[in-house]
Amino acid sequence: MSTISLKKKTASIVLEKKNLKGVVAKVGLVLDISGSMRKLYRKGVVQEAVERVLAVASQFDDDGSLDIWVYDNEFSRLPSVTENELTDYVNRQILNNNAIHKFGRNDEPKVMADVMVKYTKEEPSNVPVFIVFINDGGCKREIKKFIVESSTQPIFWQFVGIGDSNFEVLKKLDTMEGRFIDNANFFHMDDMSKVSDEMLYEQLLNEFPQWLKEAKNKGILQLKKI
């Protein structure tokens, strides 16, 4: 089996375990491309992250594709990726793309605003949106505004901290006040490349099922299954 096929098989097992099999959702991936991420891009860790999240997206995304953003102090919305475009995606669309600002400072609010524009204004829908947001520390406190604002929308933010930097802001997500429902989760791993696919998917999908249930009960979305 190909690498992506193995990842899809693992993702399918975890989805079934969490009663997510057949759920229709949009999936987005936001990638930190600030200066401290340079090594992870060059070592292929980010390419692998795209592959791993695509394996989930292909299971319950409404069109089998993964929407992607990168950000430092600016942001870029990239072409969505499917299995057909996956090979060397990070090199082709990010590292070798001179139009993309890279390896600057991090500024999460700008890219979060664009994520919300895409899913609430450009493509409004009752279909749930699952956002995987990868950050290597120093996240700005202003993200609270966007998390609170999106708590009435069908958007769930799954933040993933990598490395050994400061994740003080993200660690406070579970106690954040002012939200209609809890719409964000955070977990941290020192080295994503050393975490098995099964463990990664278990953590990625840890709180999403509960949010789906609550969002449906509160009338934010109409949960569809295929």
Side-chain angles (χ1 to χ4, degrees):
M1 296 177 73
S2 67
T3 301
I4 188 64
S5 295
L6 288 169
K7 294 181 190 307
K8 285 169 63 177
K9 185 175 181 180
T10 303
S12 179
I13 292 169
V14 176
L15 286 166
E16 189 158 4
K17 188 189 301 185
K18 295 183 178 291
N19 198 29
L20 291 169
K21 201 71 176 168
V23 169
V24 177
K26 297 177 184 291
V27 183
L29 174 62
V30 181
L31 296 165
D32 187 342
I33 196 167
S34 58
S36 52
M37 288 284 294
R38 189 187 302 265
K39 185 187 293 185
L40 296 181
Y41 277 88
R42 300 258 160 89
K43 286 172 62 179
V45 174
V46 176
Q47 172 69 30
E48 186 177 8
V50 173
E51 294 174 6
R52 295 171 100 173
V53 177
L54 179 63
V56 174
S58 66
Q59 300 292 309
F60 65 21
D61 188 77
D62 59 336
D63 60 3
S65 67
L66 177 64
D67 300 327
I68 299 185
W69 286 259
V70 292
Y71 79 96
D72 53 4
N73 48 297
E74 298 183 16
F75 72 87
S76 297
R77 192 192 298 187
L78 302 180
S80 298
V81 61
T82 65
E83 286 184 55
N84 293 333
E85 300 94 30
L86 183 56
T87 302
D88 210 33
Y89 179 87
V90 168
N91 280 328
R92 287 186 293 104
Q93 297 289 353
I94 302 175
L95 294 181
N96 297 333
N97 186 346
N98 293 329
I100 290 180
H101 198 274
K102 45 184 91 74
F103 307 131
R105 305 179 311 279
N106 59 303
D107 190 350
E108 292 78 17
K110 290 179 182 177
V111 70
M112 291 178 74
D114 192 62
V115 170
M116 289 179 63
V117 164
K118 177 177 175 66
Y119 295 120
T120 66
K121 295 182 178 178
E122 296 176 3
E123 302 174 13
S125 170
N126 282 329
V127 172
V129 180
F130 180 63
I131 300 294
V132 179
F133 198 114
I134 295 178
N135 167 267
D136 77 339
C139 200
K140 290 199 169 181
R141 297 181 186 277
E142 289 82 1
I143 69 167
K144 178 179 178 180
K145 172 180 182 288
F146 298 95
I147 293 174
V148 170
E149 285 182 5
S150 63
S151 67
T152 58
Q153 302 292 335
I155 301 174
F156 182 82
W157 305 87
Q158 177 59 66
F159 289 88
V160 182
I162 55 176
D164 57 0
S165 295
N166 176 13
F167 296 102
E168 178 187 356
V169 173
L170 295 175
K171 286 177 179 177
K172 294 179 179 178
L173 286 179
D174 282 339
T175 57
M176 185 181 291
E177 297 180 348
R179 290 179 288 177
F180 186 59
I181 63 172
D182 182 349
N183 61 337
N185 186 40
F186 167 71
F187 68 90
H188 169 250
M189 54 184 71
D190 287 325
D191 188 344
M192 181 182 281
S193 65
K194 293 182 179 178
V195 176
S196 70
D197 290 334
E198 183 176 5
M199 179 62 73
L200 178 64
Y201 297 147
E202 285 278 356
Q203 298 214 58
L204 276 179
L205 300 168
N206 186 38
E207 288 195 11
F208 188 53
Q210 179 59 35
W211 174 82
L212 284 174
K213 184 177 179 180
E214 191 171 354
K216 185 180 180 182
N217 290 341
K218 294 274 184 92
I220 293 174
L221 55 85
Q222 297 173 350
L223 195 56
K224 298 178 183 177
K225 287 203 172 188
I226 52 174

